[in-house]
């Protein structure tokens, strides 16, 4: 009887030992596998973040490319009551205000109420800034002719020496005479007064009168 009891007790101890060994093996397996599982999970979570970054960079690159395509360099002729009249290079995205600033800004006598500073610029545009009390000529600017040339109205009371020389037959000397006459007489009252200047006769006046304004 005791032999049977001892046998059962021995088998029970063996079962306990085997169970303990299996438990230790399972704990060890979980310990070894856990870091790999965590690392794998982190790798999976980082994929969307990388894809998002690439998507943002691609979007920014596309916006910059679009911006470059929609803007271009143009030339604008700034005249009238500005400090440095002339032809200036601007971007199509810029406005009249930028062109005036590039021309040295408006003079003290400029009538900015007649100027739309927010207007967009176009290639070949003539931008005229009038003086106070002056009415901007309706024909001022560039007018396409059948020959493909352009006709520009020159204001005798505000034109610079360089602008006057754009008139047919008016060189440096004649331009100086026009400026002297304007200063001595307080400006031109009509474009016909131009004939009062020596060397500018009826024939010369008729050739350029359509390009003149007051």
């Amino acid at each position: 009887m005791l032999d049977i009891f001892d046998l059962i007790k021995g088998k029970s101890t063996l079962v306990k030992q085997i169970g303990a060994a299996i438990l230790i093996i399972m704990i060890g397996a979980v310990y070894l596998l856990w870091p790999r599982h965590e690392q794998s999970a982190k790798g999976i979570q980082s994929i969307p973040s990388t894809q998002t970054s690439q998507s943002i960079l691609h979007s920014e690159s596309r916006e910059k490319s679009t911006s470059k395509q929609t803007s271009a360099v143009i030339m604008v002729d700034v005249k009238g009551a500005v400090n440095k009249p002339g032809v200036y290079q601007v971007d199509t995205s810029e406005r009249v205000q930028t062109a005036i600033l590039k021309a040295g800004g408006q003079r003290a006598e400029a009538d900015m109420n007649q100027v739309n500073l927010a207007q967009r610029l176009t290639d070949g545009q003539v931008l005229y800034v009038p003086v106070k009390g002056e009415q901007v000529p309706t024909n001022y600017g560039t007018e396409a002719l059948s020959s493909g040339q352009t006709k520009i109205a020159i204001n005798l009371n505000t034109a610079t020496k360089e602008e006057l020389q754009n008139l047919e037959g008016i060189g440096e000397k004649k331009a100086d005479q026009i400026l002297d006459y304007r200063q001595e007489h307080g400006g031109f009252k009509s474009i016909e007064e131009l004939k009062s200047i020596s060397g500018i006769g009826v024939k010369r006046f008729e050739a350029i009168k359509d390009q003149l304004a007051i």
Side-chain angles (χ1 to χ4, degrees):
M1 186 70 173
L2 291 174
D3 292 337
I4 295 173
F5 179 77
D6 291 339
L7 179 61
I8 293 173
K9 183 178 180 181
K11 289 183 178 180
S12 176
T13 302
L14 180 61
V15 169
K16 290 180 179 180
Q17 291 176 348
I18 293 173
I22 293 173
L23 180 61
I24 292 171
I25 292 173
M26 290 177 65
I27 293 173
V30 171
Y31 177 79
L32 291 175
L33 293 176
W34 177 257
R36 296 180 183 179
H37 174 75
E38 184 178 3
Q39 184 177 5
S40 176
K42 289 182 179 179
I44 293 173
Q45 291 176 358
S46 66
I47 291 176
S49 177
T50 303
Q51 291 177 342
T52 302
S53 299
Q54 291 177 348
S55 177
I56 293 174
L57 290 174
H58 178 70
S59 177
E60 290 178 350
S61 176
R62 184 171 56 189
E63 288 178 0
K64 290 180 180 179
S65 176
T66 302
S67 176
K68 289 181 179 179
Q69 291 176 357
T70 55
S71 63
V73 173
I74 59 175
M75 306 301 289
V76 177
D77 189 3
V78 186
K79 299 178 181 295
V82 291
N83 291 309
K84 297 179 181 179
V87 178
Y88 292 92
Q89 180 176 293
V90 296
D91 192 271
T92 51
S93 63
E94 294 175 320
R95 309 295 177 118
V96 166
Q97 183 178 24
T98 301
I100 292 176
L101 289 175
K102 288 194 173 187
Q106 67 268 23
R107 300 204 302 264
E109 65 271 23
D111 185 2
M112 301 308 295
N113 290 328
Q114 297 191 59
V115 181
N116 182 2
L117 296 176
Q119 182 182 357
R120 287 189 179 276
L121 299 168
T122 58
D123 188 38
Q125 179 179 347
V126 176
L127 174 59
Y128 182 74
V129 179
V131 297
K132 294 175 182 177
E134 175 188 8
Q135 184 66 36
V136 179
T138 56
N139 64 333
Y140 197 92
T142 55
E143 180 182 347
L145 300 180
S146 58
S147 62
Q149 299 176 340
T150 58
K151 178 175 63 178
I152 302 176
I154 302 296
N155 190 303
L156 294 175
N157 287 326
T158 60
T160 63
K161 180 178 179 179
E162 291 74 17
E163 291 171 345
L164 290 171
Q165 291 182 71
N166 290 327
L167 294 168
E168 182 182 350
I170 303 298
E172 184 176 358
K173 184 177 179 180
K174 283 288 183 292
D176 285 332
Q177 290 178 331
I178 294 173
L179 293 176
D180 291 341
Y181 181 92
R182 186 170 75 190
Q183 184 175 3
E184 292 173 4
H185 296 81
F188 289 84
K189 304 301 185 296
S190 67
I191 61 174
E192 283 74 15
E193 282 188 59
L194 194 63
K195 292 183 290 184
S196 301
I197 297 175
S198 176
I200 301 180
V202 176
K203 186 176 181 180
R204 176 62 57 201
F205 175 77
E206 290 296 324
I208 62 176
K209 69 177 184 178
D210 290 338
Q211 301 177 50
L212 303 176
I214 296 297

